[in-house]
Amino acid sequence: MHERFAALLPLTHSVDFAHDQILARLSGLFPSLTSKLGVVRPGGFAAGGEGGPCFLSVGPNVISVHLYPGPPKLAGSEDLDALCPAWFGLRNSHPKIHTHVVVRSEQDAHHPAEALAVAAAVSMVTSALISIVPVEEVIWKTGHVSIEPQAFQRTALRLTIPEIKVGHWLTWHVVEGPISPQGMPSLIYHSKGLAPFFGRELETVPSILPRAEIEKRVLAVTDFLILHGPPIRDDMPLYVPDHDYVRVRLRDRGIIDPNPVLMLRIEPAPASETGRANGLRFGQPLPANGGFGRRALS
C-alpha cells in the first residue's frame, strides 16, 4: 500500500469553515468539475476549533478535511526544513502556528493513474481551502514540499488542462557523486514524493552533465511517468525529444536511498534520431517485456 496523499495547512489563527463553503469554492475554481463534486459527510469547525471533519467527493475520490491544534509535523524522525520557502526565511522566526488544517485522501491508489487522480483531488480541495482560511504555507506531505499558498493554488488550477506539471508534488535532493574516470565531478538526483505513484523513488546514476541539463531531463521523465503511468520495466529506454535517451532500471536499492528505486541513466544523443525514425512521441517507452504499472498486464 502506498502512502496516502495529504496537504498540511498551518494557520496563525483559525476561522469558521464548513463543507458547504469548501464545495462552493471548489465549484468556483473548477467549474468543469461541478457535477462531479459532492458531500460524503458534512462537517466543519468554529473559530475556536470545535466541530468535526468533513468528507467531500471529487469524482470517485473521497477527500477529508480536519483541523488539529498546534503546528503540523511529519511522521517519524522526519522534520520540516529550518528554512521555509513559503516565508523566505527561518521557520522558527515566523509568528506562532496555533492550528493546522489537514486535507487528505481516504482511499488507497493501486496504480499510477489512480494516484494521479487522487493527488489532483487533494490539490483541488487544498486550493479551495486557501481561499477560505488564512493559510501560511502548503506542505505537501509525501514530497516534503513547502509552497507559498497562492503559488500552490495557481499550480492546482492547471490540473484540468493537458499541459499540467507535477513539480508541486515532489522534492529533489542533489548530492555529489564520485569523480568520473575522466576526472570530472558528478551529480546524483534523488526524488522525494514519487513513491506514492510508483511504489519507489527515482535516482539518477552519477552524471557529469551540467546540473541544469540533468534537472531538465529528470523533470521531463517524472512528468511523463506520473501523467501517463506506463508500466516500468527493467532496462527500459524512454525517448525524450531533444534530451537524448533516458533509460530506467529497477534496482533493489539506490546509491542514496536504501529502498528499491527507479534508476535513471541519461545516455548519448544519437539515440534521439532512432526515436524519431521510429515515430515515437515525447516520453514514449520503447517495447520491452514484463514489468509493472497501469498497462503491464495488457
Side-chain angles (χ1 to χ4, degrees):
M1 182 180 71
H2 298 172
E3 184 179 358
R4 292 181 179 179
F5 296 106
L8 314 179
L9 314 180
L11 311 176
T12 54
H13 63 280
S14 58
V15 298
D16 293 349
F17 70 91
H19 65 276
D20 54 346
Q21 292 172 280
I22 303 172
L23 206 62
R25 192 60 189 136
L26 269 171
S27 296
L29 291 171
F30 306 98
S32 63
L33 296 179
T34 300
S35 63
K36 300 178 181 178
L37 303 175
V39 178
V40 177
R41 185 192 303 172
F45 295 90
E50 295 182 356
C54 62
F55 293 74
L56 307 174
S57 61
V58 181
N61 306 301
V62 177
I63 310 300
S64 62
V65 179
H66 307 253
L67 183 70
Y68 294 104
K73 295 181 179 178
L74 300 178
S77 60
E78 298 170 331
D79 294 317
L80 296 171
D81 290 339
L83 288 173
C84 178
W87 301 335
F88 306 101
L90 292 174
R91 190 177 295 280
N92 60 13
S93 67
H94 197 77
K96 184 178 179 180
I97 298 301
H98 291 283
T99 58
H100 66 280
V101 176
V102 177
V103 182
R104 69 183 181 216
S105 59
E106 291 297 324
Q107 75 263 33
D108 298 323
H110 300 288
H111 55 68
E114 286 182 353
L116 172 61
V118 174
V122 174
S123 292
M124 290 172 180
V125 175
T126 299
S127 184
L129 261 298
I130 289 170
S131 298
I132 299 170
V133 297
V135 178
E136 298 295 332
E137 68 173 319
V138 176
I139 300 166
W140 189 260
K141 189 177 179 183
T142 56
H144 294 188
V145 181
S146 169
I147 305 179
E148 192 273 330
Q150 280 66 44
F152 184 95
Q153 190 178 63
R154 287 193 298 270
T155 304
L157 288 172
R158 294 180 59 84
L159 289 172
T160 55
I161 66 176
E163 299 82 13
I164 71 173
K165 300 294 181 182
V166 298
H168 66 302
W169 295 331
L170 305 172
T171 298
W172 291 98
H173 301 283
V174 187
V175 300
E176 292 184 0
I179 298 297
S180 73
Q182 297 81 18
M184 300 179 65
S186 68
L187 294 175
I188 300 171
Y189 267 65
H190 171 65
S191 71
K192 175 62 181 175
L194 192 64
F197 295 93
F198 279 92
R200 53 180 75 195
E201 297 295 341
L202 182 144
E203 277 190 19
T204 64
V205 299
S207 175
I208 61 173
L209 286 173
R211 180 167 176 163
E213 291 300 313
I214 302 173
E215 184 171 316
K216 190 185 302 181
R217 290 156 170 80
V218 164
L219 295 179
V221 171
T222 51
D223 274 357
F224 176 77
L225 291 178
I226 293 176
L227 295 175
H228 299 282
I232 304 301
R233 305 178 178 93
D234 191 31
D235 206 28
M236 184 179 84
L238 299 174
Y239 168 60
V240 182
D242 304 319
H243 292 318
D244 314 328
Y245 254 147
V246 290
R247 186 178 293 271
V248 180
R249 293 186 170 96
L250 307 181
R251 292 293 179 260
D252 292 335
R253 62 174 296 150
I255 300 171
I256 302 171
D257 194 333
N259 301 303
V261 298
L262 301 175
M263 189 68 75
L264 186 69
R265 178 183 295 275
I266 301 165
E267 299 187 342
S272 298
E273 297 304 322
T274 302
R276 291 189 184 93
N278 286 283
L280 296 179
R281 58 183 172 82
F282 170 80
Q284 183 174 339
L286 298 179
N289 295 319
F292 71 94
R294 182 172 61 175
R295 295 184 292 275
L297 301 180
S298 61

